[in-house]
Amino acid sequence: YSQSSGAVTLTRSTVTGCSAGTRGGVVYAVYSGAVSLTNSTVMDCSAERIGGVVRAVTSESLSVAGVAFINNSAPSGSVLYLDELDRSSISDTSFAGNIAGNGIAIQTGSPIDWDCRLGRWMPRQGALEGDFSAPECRLCPAGYYG
């Protein structure tokens, strides 16, 4: 839990079976500095309410690179639940088998910059459901190039 403090960083780690009473099974950041998850695996983590892995609100930024999110859960935002962040980016990251009561793996009110391949795209805000990864992302409809 990080409130009104500096940066939160998780690097080259394997995190398994973490849980939280209400928010952010691994990280709950409020009014914090940058939140960074890099070159890690996070699996079987949960929160009883929102953000099975990360709940970040009114914080500087979120950066996720080279992370595998596997079988995490929460009633809403089984992996990430984000709001009022200055900026967010996700690259070289996979989301597989994450379960939310509402089917949402990522819930965000803040735009996310995705590192997608040409001809691929991801929604920047809102609710993202199911299994997906970046840079593969979602295929653009015929005639569009991402």
Side-chain angles (χ1 to χ4, degrees), residues 28-75:
Y28 179 28
V30 181
Y31 298 107
S32 76
V35 176
S36 174
L37 287 79
T38 308
N39 299 324
S40 298
T41 298
V42 181
M43 60 189 303
D44 301 322
C45 293
S46 65
E48 290 180 13
R49 190 164 165 227
I50 57 177
V53 176
V54 174
R55 166 63 168 129
V57 61
T58 318
S59 295
E60 182 181 311
S61 63
L62 172 77
S63 174
V64 179
V67 179
F69 294 108
I70 305 164
N71 299 331
N72 300 290
S73 64

Side-chain angles (χ1 to χ4, degrees), residues 84-101:
E84 298 182 37
L85 301 179
D86 290 342
R87 63 192 169 280
S88 298
S89 65
I90 298 177
S91 63
D92 192 27
T93 296
S94 63
F95 298 81
N98 300 293
I99 301 167

Side-chain angles (χ1 to χ4, degrees), residues 104-115:
I104 297 170
I106 299 175
Q107 177 69 49
T108 180
S110 302
I112 297 174
D113 290 328
W114 291 89
D115 180 24

Side-chain angles (χ1 to χ4, degrees), residues 118-121 138-146:
L118 184 62
R120 304 285 180 149
W121 72 283
R138 296 180 179 163
L139 186 61
C140 290
Y144 294 89
Y145 299 100

